[in-house]
Amino acid sequence: QMLQLARLDPEQGLPDARAVDLAAVATAVCAELGTAILERELDFSLAAEPGVTVPGQGEWLRVLIRNLVDNAIRYTPLGGTVRVAVAAEAGGARVQVADSGPGIPVAERARVLDRFHRLDHEHQPGSGLGLSIARRVAELHGARLDLDRAALGGLQICVVFPATASRPGEAAPQD
C-alpha cells in the first residue's frame, strides 16, 4: 500500500485516461474477494448497472473499489451484510459500498481518510492506508468520497463521479 500511495502522490491528473466500465471493475473485484466473502458467511450482493463508464485509469479504479469492498468485508461481523452498487446518476456515476459493521463515528470520518489512521488497532490487521489511497484515486478522477451511516447500520461509502461519466449506450468522453 505504501508503494501504491507513493505512485499516486505525484500524479496531477489522469495520463492516458480511457473509458472504464465501473460495473466490470466492481464485478471483477467482488469475484477476487469471493473466498473472503464466503469465509465470513456474509449476505453479499452486487448491483452493477452495466455500461456505466468514467474516463480514468482502470487499474487505479480497481484499487479504489477493492480497498472499499475489502474494508467492508473485514469490518463486517461474521454473517453480516455487505452491499455493493454501481449506477449512473445525475449525469455522473456512483459506486456505493455499505455494510452492517460497526461503522465509523461522525467525529472520526474525516480522520480515517488520513494516512495511517486506524480505529480498530487490536482486531484488524492493516496499515491505515486503504481509505487514504481510495481518496487519492477518487481525487485524481475528479470524484469525491462520501462517508455516512448505512441503512444496514454500519458504514456506507459512496464514490461520486462528476458528470463526465456516461450512461449505458452513450460514449464516455475521451481526452
Side-chain angles (χ1 to χ4, degrees):
Q1 285 187 322
M2 291 285 290
L3 185 55
Q4 285 177 338
L5 201 52
R7 287 180 181 149
L8 292 171
D9 266 350
E11 295 295 334
Q12 297 300 313
L14 294 172
D16 255 352
R18 301 193 186 281
V20 178
D21 184 333
L22 290 175
V25 173
T27 300
V29 163
C30 292
E32 291 170 13
L33 295 171
T35 301
I37 293 165
L38 292 173
E39 287 173 352
R40 306 226 8 103
E41 300 176 10
L42 298 176
D43 175 4
F44 185 91
S45 71
L46 168 63
E49 185 179 323
V52 176
T53 61
V54 296
Q57 297 291 329
E59 182 57 26
W60 293 356
L61 291 168
R62 188 194 69 74
V63 166
L64 181 153
I65 294 171
R66 184 180 174 93
N67 281 344
L68 300 183
V69 176
D70 182 59
N71 277 355
I73 291 167
R74 282 195 288 134
Y75 288 96
T76 298
L78 189 68
T81 304
V82 174
R83 301 282 180 254
V84 179
V86 176
E89 78 165 29
R94 172 184 292 259
V95 175
Q96 180 175 304
V97 179
D99 63 58
S100 63
I104 297 175
V106 174
E108 290 289 323
R109 289 185 187 150
R111 292 192 64 217
V112 298
L113 299 174
D114 292 340
R115 295 174 187 185
F116 307 111
H117 185 76
R118 295 185 54 227
L119 294 178
D120 191 0
H121 301 283
E122 298 172 15
H123 298 99
Q124 291 296 330
S127 60
L129 290 174
L131 290 179
S132 62
I133 291 170
R135 178 176 65 179
R136 182 66 180 132
V137 172
E139 288 171 352
L140 288 168
H141 286 81
R144 72 176 193 275
L145 219 58
D146 295 335
L147 283 66
D148 205 350
R149 181 166 178 80
L152 300 169
L155 181 65
Q156 172 178 289
I157 299 182
C158 294
V159 184
V160 182
F161 292 88
T164 56
S166 69
R167 296 187 185 287
E170 296 177 353
Q174 297 282 326
D175 288 335

